Amino acid sequence: MPVYVMGHKIPDSDSIVSALSLAYLKNQIGEEAIAVRQGELNPETAFILKTFGVEAPALKTTYAGDSIYVVDHSDRAQSPDDLDQATVLGIVDHHKLGDITTSAPLECWIRPVGCSNTIVKEMYDHHGVAIPKEIAGIMMCAILSDTVIFKSPTCTPVDIKAVEELAVIAGVEDFKALGLEMFKVKSALEGTPIRELVKRDFKDFDMNGNKVGIGQLEVVDLSIFDSIKAELEADIAKLREEGERHSVILLLTDIMKEGSELLVASNDISVTEKAFGKTEDGKVWLEGVLSRKKQVVPPLEKAFA
Amino acid sequence: MPVYVMGHKIPDSDSIVSALSLAYLKNQIGEEAIAVRQGELNPETAFILKTFGVEAPALKTTYAGDSIYVVDHSDRAQSPDDLDQATVLGIVDHHKLGDITTSAPLECWIRPVGCSNTIVKEMYDHHGVAIPKEIAGIMMCAILSDTVIFKSPTCTPVDIKAVEELAVIAGVEDFKALGLEMFKVKSALEGTPIRELVKRDFKDFDMNGNKVGIGQLEVVDLSIFDSIKAELEADIAKLREEGERHSVILLLTDIMKEGSELLVASNDISVTEKAFGKTEDGKVWLEGVLSRKKQVVPPLEKAFA
């Protein structure tokens, strides 16, 4: 029986690509594995897969009775709703340790690096398995995406080394140029419904019993949001109520200016202000903040503690 | 500021040795680390350390404000009581994934192998760090202990390979003979208070909201317990009440006959009988059962689900 390799709900490029790259590795070492996804591809991921001619994983939202590898997360809020009826064989992740537990020993490769695919690269090296050209290409792009082309504080020397090695395998000379092209695709808003933008890269967190949703949009120029900011603010307020969330935060990240504007909808703004300082009409600019994981979630968890 | 490396409460040989072996490795790769222990050494561990001339880690029971590496467990029941006030930098473990969570990314090396020291060996290889002779010796013994000299169903080819390589480094020719000598030390009961025997290798588990304590005594000949079995039974009944546990189970494991007698004290014996079949006066012989982790905890968790 094959095992499934699956990233988080509302998958980003790392979630899709690490499912593909880990599934390929598992098959090479004699374990039949199928990459799947819990949600729709975002435009950036579609661009990455198209660039290297790789097919997207199939959509799969229920896992009862299945054996699975979990990639790019370790918390239940981002896992399938029927996770308890599945067997988790392993976790490959680069986030804080979440609340998934198992009833049998498993394999966890969790590292404080910038991208899950950096860890998958380590696993290929560990097993002595060669990475095919097209898999190397998508892995390289996933790392460039998660590390914001090495600008994110989550980026480590291991990520940079992995990209450099993967670029050689993929035959990509100017990986930074490809990265910027990718972020331009990511920045495109035209014609996208507001809710789709808000939820493009959106994760729910459990913070001391409070449900907090945090979305992030990374663009090459923040002014792109000027004409729709009011709509975004209205929509996160609606999303907060619909999901019975304590707060919804949307990070508008400018990867060139290297900072983020936070839009906040909260039933108690004092908590987010404790974490990030005074907001103005539910908004605040945070210089140098690029990483949800490293710069937004930890101070927020402290504020909720 | 140094970081601490710490195994579980009521430490076994793997918990003590993996703290020592991981701390040594961390120091070699430029991270100041100190091995510590949460409880007293058992006779087997004392024998191992004495055999290779290695000093025991210091006792340390509070960790508020400290940064720590957690070895040989990943659940709160076996962690320090003030774990929430510490920063978990990493976990090295070979058990099921427990309920420790973190608020920042970390390093986890978790593998479905027979011993944490097998994983620490992988880490030395990964970092290209040479293992000193005496560290290799204690690591080898820890693996022989956890895998019951390769007889446990938890033992994998990776564990065997690690022992073989460590034996060469340690200069031990007949590691099986040393393993048997070690288990004879482990079997010695004379003069040991009953409660000390019951708690020598004892772990509490949270099973669907129920506190269940499971101890294990591994000996080379089960008849050694004949004269004290009634006292053991009385004591686990007392221990159950004292700790407000649903059940306390004591595994008396015969490593030569390769099976275990279960002594059960429970406020609802039907649950344990669902897991292990009919008991007689709270006792049942389980042929082939050597591993608490792989053969006792999973069926029990299912019975509690």
Side-chain angles (χ1 to χ4, degrees):
Chain A
M1 220 173 62
V3 300
Y4 294 97
V5 188
M6 167 215 82
H8 52 74
K9 283 176 176 162
I10 313 178
D12 61 359
S13 295
D14 190 25
S15 255
I16 297 292
V17 173
S18 55
L20 289 164
S21 58
L22 182 58
Y24 181 86
L25 172 64
K26 286 289 175 188
N27 281 294
Q28 293 307 108
I29 59 174
E31 206 173 329
E32 200 187 334
I34 298 171
V36 287
R37 60 183 163 87
Q38 288 197 71
E40 295 313 314
L41 295 193
N42 67 37
E44 182 200 61
T45 311
F47 167 82
I48 294 173
L49 296 183
K50 197 176 157 218
T51 300
F52 292 95
V54 175
E55 220 172 297
L59 181 71
K60 180 170 162 67
T61 52
T62 61
Y63 293 84
D66 292 329
S67 288
I68 57 176
Y69 284 99
V70 171
V71 292
D72 203 32
H73 70 290
S74 65
D75 48 338
R76 289 164 177 280
Q78 299 178 46
S79 286
D81 296 336
D82 59 357
L83 185 79
D84 283 333
Q85 291 157 264
T87 302
V88 178
L89 298 179
I91 299 175
V92 176
D93 190 28
H94 66 122
H95 299 87
K96 69 196 182 70
L97 188 59
D99 56 359
I100 290 179
T101 59
T102 67
S103 56
L106 77 169
E107 175 187 5
C108 294
W109 298 67
I110 301 173
R111 303 281 182 275
V113 295
C115 180
S116 296
N117 275 282
T118 301
I119 307 166
V120 179
K121 168 75 165 62
E122 181 187 325
M123 296 175 75
Y124 273 87
D125 292 344
H126 174 81
H127 289 289
V129 171
I131 309 175
K133 191 172 174 169
E134 73 280 7
I135 302 274
I138 60 175
M139 288 171 74
M140 178 194 77
C141 283
I143 303 173
L144 289 169
S145 168
D146 260 19
T147 62
V148 192
I149 317 177
F150 307 157
K151 288 181 181 182
S152 170
T154 61
C155 185
T156 70
V158 190
D159 298 296
I160 297 172
K161 187 164 171 277
V163 165
E164 288 169 351
E165 290 177 17
L166 291 164
V168 172
I169 301 170
V172 173
E173 261 180 49
D174 191 347
F175 58 77
K176 289 201 176 174
L178 178 58
L180 207 58
E181 202 186 330
M182 182 178 77
F183 272 97
K184 277 180 188 150
V185 171
K186 196 173 196 169
S187 305
L189 306 180
E190 64 264 6
T192 313
I194 291 293
R195 175 58 59 93
E196 203 179 310
L197 284 178
V198 168
K199 296 207 78 174
R200 183 171 279 177
D201 177 10
F202 186 88
K203 292 178 182 176
D204 275 316
F205 296 84
D206 175 67
M207 299 206 175
N208 206 10
N210 301 288
K211 187 175 171 188
V212 178
I214 310 178
Q216 183 172 24
L217 291 167
E218 293 167 315
V219 297
V220 288
D221 181 1
L222 217 58
S223 68
I224 197 173
F225 293 118
D226 287 352
S227 64
I228 59 164
K229 203 174 285 176
E231 288 176 81
L232 291 171
E233 290 180 69
D235 197 59
I236 61 170
K238 221 160 81 186
L239 192 61
R240 193 193 69 73
E241 274 178 34
E242 286 167 16
E244 293 175 358
R245 295 175 176 88
H246 178 284
S247 301
V248 170
I249 291 175
L250 185 62
L251 278 166
L252 304 179
T253 300
D254 190 315
I255 71 163
M256 304 311 282
K257 286 203 197 85
E258 304 192 12
S260 295
E261 181 169 27
L262 250 69
L263 311 186
V264 182
S266 180
N267 70 23
D268 180 6
I269 194 103
S270 74
V271 184
T272 49
E273 294 200 331
K274 198 170 152 197
F276 305 111
K278 198 94 198 104
T279 55
E280 202 163 315
D281 296 333
K283 290 191 286 286
V284 58
W285 168 257
L286 299 177
E287 187 70 29
V289 168
L290 294 170
S291 166
R292 169 170 53 194
K293 184 176 77 171
K294 204 152 182 170
Q295 297 170 298
V296 175
V297 172
L300 209 50
E301 285 202 315
K302 245 180 226 159
F304 272 103
Chain B
M1 219 174 62
V3 301
Y4 295 96
V5 188
M6 166 216 81
H8 50 75
K9 283 177 176 162
I10 313 178
D12 62 358
S13 295
D14 190 24
S15 256
I16 297 292
V17 174
S18 55
L20 288 164
S21 57
L22 182 59
Y24 181 87
L25 172 64
K26 286 290 175 190
N27 281 296
Q28 292 308 106
I29 59 174
E31 206 174 327
E32 199 187 335
I34 298 171
V36 287
R37 60 184 162 88
Q38 289 196 70
E40 295 313 314
L41 294 194
N42 68 35
E44 183 199 61
T45 312
F47 167 82
I48 294 173
L49 297 183
K50 197 177 157 219
T51 300
F52 292 95
V54 176
E55 218 171 301
L59 181 71
K60 180 170 162 69
T61 53
T62 61
Y63 294 84
D66 292 328
S67 289
I68 57 176
Y69 285 99
V70 171
V71 293
D72 203 33
H73 70 289
S74 64
D75 47 338
R76 290 165 176 279
Q78 299 178 45
S79 285
D81 296 336
D82 58 356
L83 184 79
D84 283 334
Q85 292 157 263
T87 303
V88 178
L89 298 178
I91 299 175
V92 176
D93 189 28
H94 66 123
H95 298 88
K96 68 196 184 71
L97 189 59
D99 56 358
I100 291 178
T101 59
T102 67
S103 55
L106 78 169
E107 175 187 6
C108 295
W109 298 67
I110 301 173
R111 303 280 183 275
V113 294
C115 181
S116 297
N117 275 283
T118 302
I119 307 165
V120 179
K121 168 74 166 62
E122 181 187 325
M123 296 174 75
Y124 273 87
D125 293 345
H126 174 81
H127 289 288
V129 170
I131 308 176
K133 192 171 172 170
E134 73 281 5
I135 302 273
I138 61 175
M139 289 172 74
M140 178 193 76
C141 282
I143 303 173
L144 289 170
S145 169
D146 260 20
T147 63
V148 192
I149 318 177
F150 306 157
K151 287 181 181 184
S152 169
T154 61
C155 185
T156 69
V158 190
D159 298 295
I160 296 173
K161 188 165 169 276
V163 164
E164 287 168 352
E165 290 178 15
L166 291 165
V168 172
I169 301 169
V172 173
E173 261 179 48
D174 191 347
F175 59 76
K176 288 200 177 175
L178 179 58
L180 207 57
E181 200 186 332
M182 182 177 78
F183 272 97
K184 277 180 190 149
V185 170
K186 197 173 197 167
S187 305
L189 306 181
E190 64 263 7
T192 314
I194 291 293
R195 175 57 59 93
E196 203 180 312
L197 285 178
V198 168
K199 297 206 78 175
R200 183 171 278 178
D201 177 9
F202 187 89
K203 292 179 180 173
D204 275 317
F205 296 85
D206 175 68
M207 300 210 174
N208 205 9
N210 301 286
K211 186 175 171 190
V212 178
I214 311 178
Q216 182 172 25
L217 290 167
E218 293 166 316
V219 295
V220 288
D221 180 1
L222 216 58
S223 67
I224 197 172
F225 292 119
D226 287 352
S227 63
I228 58 164
K229 203 175 285 175
E231 287 176 81
L232 291 171
E233 291 180 68
D235 197 60
I236 62 170
K238 221 159 82 185
L239 192 62
R240 192 193 71 73
E241 274 179 34
E242 285 167 17
E244 292 176 0
R245 295 176 175 89
H246 178 284
S247 301
V248 170
I249 291 174
L250 185 62
L251 279 165
L252 304 179
T253 299
D254 190 317
I255 72 163
M256 304 310 282
K257 285 203 198 85
E258 303 192 12
S260 297
E261 182 169 26
L262 251 71
L263 311 187
V264 182
S266 179
N267 71 22
D268 179 5
I269 194 102
S270 75
V271 184
T272 49
E273 294 202 329
K274 199 170 151 195
F276 305 110
K278 198 93 198 103
T279 55
E280 202 163 316
D281 296 332
K283 291 191 283 289
V284 58
W285 169 258
L286 298 177
E287 187 69 29
V289 168
L290 294 170
S291 167
R292 170 171 51 195
K293 183 176 79 171
K294 205 153 182 170
Q295 297 170 298
V296 175
V297 171
L300 209 50
E301 285 201 315
K302 245 181 224 158
F304 272 103

